[in-house]
Amino acid sequence: MFPSFSLRPHRSLLAGTAALLLAPLGCATSTQARDEAALRTDAPPKVKPKWGLVIHGGAGVISRENLSPEREAAMRAVLTQALQAGHAVLAKGGRSLDAVTAAIRVLEDSPYFNAGKGAVFNHDGVNELDAALMDGKTRAAGAVAGVRHIQNPIDLARLVMEKSPHVMMVGDGAEAFAQSQGMPLVDAKYFYTEDRWQGLQRALEQEKAKAAPPVTPGTPPATQPPPVTPGAAPVSPVQPPATPGKSPASSLEPGVDPVTGDHKFGTVGAVALDQEGNLAAGTSTGGMTNKRFGRVGDSPIIGAGTYADERCAVSATGHGEFFIRYTVARDICARVEYQDLPLPEAANVVILDVLVKAGGEGGVIAMDREGNVAMPFNSSGMYRGSIGEDGTPSVAIFQGP
Ligand code: ASP
């Protein structure tokens, strides 16, 4: 059902670009008329849609040299387990929304992916989690940002969607809402993993090295900042005034951890099409290592990192600031809706052309209501996988299988 993982981005990009160029305004009339008819009737596709699920576990600089065989095998096993959890829901005739949450919960519970248990640490040594969920059939959506005590943020996003009149809740308020719905808070220590803690220490050292003035002989050494204890109350170091024209959050420039080879970012997500032909999308993340000032990325922002409607569902991963400014998830679905582009071409144009030109790194997983799948990424790797009706999971990490 799904296209091969060896989809060559550049060839696809050419195809996508060509399709865009071949859609002159004069040809838009029939497309427009068709779309308007579809909007009026929400006409279901003629062929019964195939169903399935696609997941990602983050995109970035992922190289074979930096990923030990043991870690790779463990990550592939978790991705497979997530696919099977979602498939079990869909095979029973369950909703795409349930399949997406089931798959994401598995990834959140794994220490290998930057979400839930494996979340990265922010600048103050705290894990702050973001998540969003969207139902393509109804366009109901729920999102949470900056939560610190929620074991499975995707479940809280769902509660926001189903048990509140709102779309997005943040921080303490979101956690108070969780409690009001009977969801327990977990100790912040639950999110501690040694790998992520060491990742923060290296990011802090890199940041300090970059900021340090060149050493002049005879200059006394700079004062060391106090060590931060994991799970401790956040310490807010006094920040120097921002230099005009330079982002004060410049510590969020993409970088690679020299030990794990991981990017400073990562995320998990899922999109699914159920037997009824309904799509859903969800995304969950710890954001970017060393983030500060309450930074929130694209993952919980509907239309940026997460989006689903009746035609198209997208979950993104990458440098969130770009995905927000280019409303990546909605842009892909808008191209499907307004330009009548096949989903893979729409996704390729946005990820491999628009974002590349902008300097935004990352990728998406996407599905349309006919079961077509796209998984383009403009980084060296993206943890990803898909499963269709036959229940055979397929997992990939690098540019090849
Ligand atoms: N997009 C996420 C963020 O910016 C991180 C990621 O997907 O890697 O928070």
Side-chain angles (χ1 to χ4, degrees):
M1 134 187 206
F2 297 131
S4 151
F5 282 116
S6 61
L7 189 75
R8 299 299 304 172
H10 299 298
R11 207 184 318 143
S12 315
L13 172 59
L14 287 179
T17 310
L20 267 184
L21 294 173
L22 290 171
L25 284 179
C27 298
T29 325
S30 61
T31 303
Q32 203 179 324
R34 209 162 51 238
D35 274 354
E36 279 166 9
L39 277 177
R40 276 197 304 277
T41 60
D42 191 26
K46 289 194 185 74
V47 182
K48 188 171 164 49
K50 294 169 180 166
W51 53 270
L53 172 86
V54 189
I55 60 171
H56 71 77
V61 180
I62 309 165
S63 63
R64 289 181 198 274
E65 304 81 66
N66 282 322
L67 193 59
S68 71
E70 297 73 35
R71 194 175 169 97
E72 180 182 337
M75 293 178 92
R76 285 181 184 268
V78 177
L79 289 166
T80 303
Q81 207 190 320
L83 287 169
Q84 286 165 340
H87 182 270
V89 173
L90 296 173
K92 281 192 297 208
R95 294 168 70 191
S96 50
L97 206 56
D98 293 317
V100 163
T101 46
I104 290 181
R105 228 178 280 128
V106 171
L107 298 167
E108 284 180 336
D109 291 344
S110 161
Y112 293 112
F113 298 96
N114 177 16
K117 174 66 185 160
V120 297
F121 285 92
N122 74 5
H123 185 74
D124 300 322
V126 175
N127 310 94
E128 286 178 329
L129 315 167
D130 309 328
L133 187 66
M134 188 161 184
D135 180 358
K137 183 183 178 188
T138 60
R139 298 208 190 190
V144 294
V147 294
R148 298 174 170 192
H149 305 94
I150 303 295
Q151 187 165 341
N152 291 104
I154 198 68
D155 289 341
L156 184 53
R158 181 147 186 182
L159 282 179
V160 171
M161 182 178 107
E162 292 180 340
K163 305 285 184 198
S164 90
H166 307 303
V167 169
M168 189 171 199
M169 297 184 187
V170 304
D172 293 345
E175 294 191 350
F177 173 71
Q179 284 182 293
S180 77
Q181 295 297 316
M183 178 179 278
L185 302 187
V186 294
D187 194 300
K189 288 192 174 68
Y190 166 78
F191 299 104
Y192 181 87
T193 58
E194 186 60 22
D195 270 4
R196 299 300 192 198
W197 181 250
Q198 293 307 328
L200 172 65
Q201 304 317 306
R202 287 187 290 273
L204 291 171
E205 278 158 27
Q206 285 171 357
E207 186 178 67
K208 209 164 67 186
K210 263 195 208 164
V215 181
T216 321
T219 313
T223 321
Q224 297 296 312
V228 183
T229 319
V235 178
S236 297
V238 177
Q239 300 303 324
T243 318
K246 191 174 179 217
S247 160
S250 58
S251 61
L252 290 186
E253 282 159 11
V256 184
D257 187 296
V259 174
T260 62
D262 273 0
H263 228 283
K264 274 186 186 172
F265 42 86
T267 277
V268 308
V271 295
L273 174 67
D274 62 29
Q275 297 193 33
E276 298 296 315
N278 298 319
L279 292 156
T283 314
S284 181
T285 189
M288 292 170 88
T289 301
N290 198 23
K291 64 185 180 181
R292 57 184 16 165
F293 308 124
R295 180 263 185 192
V296 175
D298 60 310
S299 308
I301 299 188
I302 298 302
T306 307
Y307 181 77
D309 61 26
E310 61 279 26
R311 296 180 181 78
C312 165
V314 176
S315 170
T317 168
H319 195 166
E321 280 67 13
F322 288 86
F323 284 70
I324 294 172
R325 289 190 279 118
Y326 285 80
T327 57
V328 164
R330 174 59 191 156
D331 187 14
I332 292 169
C333 293
R335 286 168 194 265
V336 171
E337 183 176 346
Y338 303 143
Q339 290 186 305
D340 211 16
L341 278 190
L343 174 82
E345 288 178 28
N348 287 345
V349 169
V350 174
I351 299 301
L352 305 175
D353 186 24
V354 176
L355 264 194
V356 167
K357 284 178 183 148
E361 189 181 346
V364 293
I365 50 168
M367 277 188 98
D368 69 14
R369 64 178 167 180
E370 275 141 20
N372 295 308
V373 167
M375 293 179 274
F377 53 96
N378 62 33
S379 46
S380 60
M382 180 166 84
Y383 299 102
R384 60 201 188 278
S386 64
I387 194 162
E389 287 165 276
D390 67 0
T392 309
S394 173
V395 166
I397 300 176
F398 310 105
Q399 290 279 351

